[in-house]
């Protein structure tokens, strides 16, 4: 059942990042909802807005949100996803460092986003109001949550090598 899916995954994704001590360089206030509808580019700089979902979490969790939303439409194309991820980190490295240990946690953060969106749609939107996006999310995220299938077909631990 849908409820069992959520209960099962809460215990599985809750461990992301718990093995690393929170420090000012890896943990703090994050946007937690970075997607194309929540930023614009002004004079070559990314301007984020819509901070109502902000939380204190691992910075790698915000990176995972970028990948989650930027991969819509290409998730079934591992080469396209990997290219997008590598391009992101090439740009990211110009501004920040990322400890390779965090790459082990990106898939867990992606699964956590699956779980959160799955739960929000189930709880907050009556099924008769689901549009195509909602139905696809419930089908696809539900499948991934039940089978432990990764959200993206990328081995993030090999990206920074």
């Amino acid at each position: 059942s849908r409820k069992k899916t959520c209960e099962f995954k809460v215990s599985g994704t809750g461990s992301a990042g718990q093995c690393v001590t929170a420090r000012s360089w890896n943990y703090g206030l994050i946007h937690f909802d970075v997607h194309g509808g929540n930023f614009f580019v002004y004079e070559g700089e990314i301007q984020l807005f819509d901070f109502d979902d902000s939380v204190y979490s691992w910075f790698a969790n915000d990176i995972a949100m970028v990948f989650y939303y930027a991969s819509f439409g290409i998730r079934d194309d591992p080469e396209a996803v990997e290219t997008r991820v590598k391009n992101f980190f090439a740009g990211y490295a110009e501004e920040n460092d990322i400890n390779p240990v965090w790459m082990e946690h990106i898939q867990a953060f992606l699964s956590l986003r699956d779980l959160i969106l799955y739960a929000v749609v189930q709880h907050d939107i009556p099924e008769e109001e689901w549009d195509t996006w909602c139905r696809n999310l419930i089908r696809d995220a539900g499948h991934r949550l039940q089978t432990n299938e990764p959200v993206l077909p990328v081995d993030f631990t090999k990206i920074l090598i």
Side-chain angles (χ1 to χ4, degrees):
S1 85
R2 292 178 178 151
K3 185 175 181 183
K4 288 182 182 176
T5 299
C6 291
E7 291 171 354
F8 171 76
K9 288 306 290 185
V10 167
S11 63
T13 58
S15 63
Q18 290 181 354
C19 63
V20 180
T21 303
R23 301 280 187 228
S24 61
W25 55 269
N26 67 8
Y27 188 91
L29 186 63
I30 66 170
H31 187 278
F32 201 51
D33 197 27
V34 178
H35 59 73
N38 285 341
F39 75 89
F40 61 86
V41 179
Y42 177 73
E43 296 182 359
E45 297 288 323
I46 295 173
Q47 306 291 317
L48 289 172
F49 51 87
D50 192 13
F51 286 84
D52 62 320
D53 290 331
S54 295
V55 297
Y56 282 92
S57 184
W58 307 102
F59 296 142
N61 198 356
D62 237 7
I63 292 170
M65 293 310 94
V66 171
F67 297 147
Y68 189 90
Y69 291 110
S71 66
F72 283 148
I74 63 167
R75 287 187 179 159
D76 294 333
D77 184 347
E79 289 181 26
V81 173
E82 188 167 320
T83 297
R84 192 162 287 177
V85 169
K86 286 180 177 180
N87 288 340
F88 172 88
F89 277 114
Y92 190 87
E94 293 178 13
E95 299 291 328
N96 293 299
D97 294 324
I98 187 164
N99 186 321
V101 73
W102 286 105
M103 301 305 276
E104 300 172 21
H105 301 292
I106 297 289
Q107 286 289 0
F109 289 131
L110 292 168
S111 292
L112 179 60
R113 184 48 130 201
D114 257 355
L115 174 64
I116 290 168
L117 291 176
Y118 185 94
V120 166
V121 169
Q122 286 286 327
H123 183 267
D124 293 350
I125 304 172
E127 192 168 349
E128 60 273 7
E129 294 179 21
W130 289 357
D131 59 12
T132 301
W133 185 89
C134 291
R135 285 190 296 279
N136 289 344
L137 176 91
I138 293 300
R139 181 195 66 221
D140 298 341
H143 172 76
R144 288 189 297 265
L145 290 166
Q146 290 176 334
T147 63
N148 270 341
E149 181 181 313
V151 175
L152 296 178
V154 174
D155 183 349
F156 287 94
T157 63
K158 295 181 180 175
I159 296 295
L160 295 180
I161 294 174

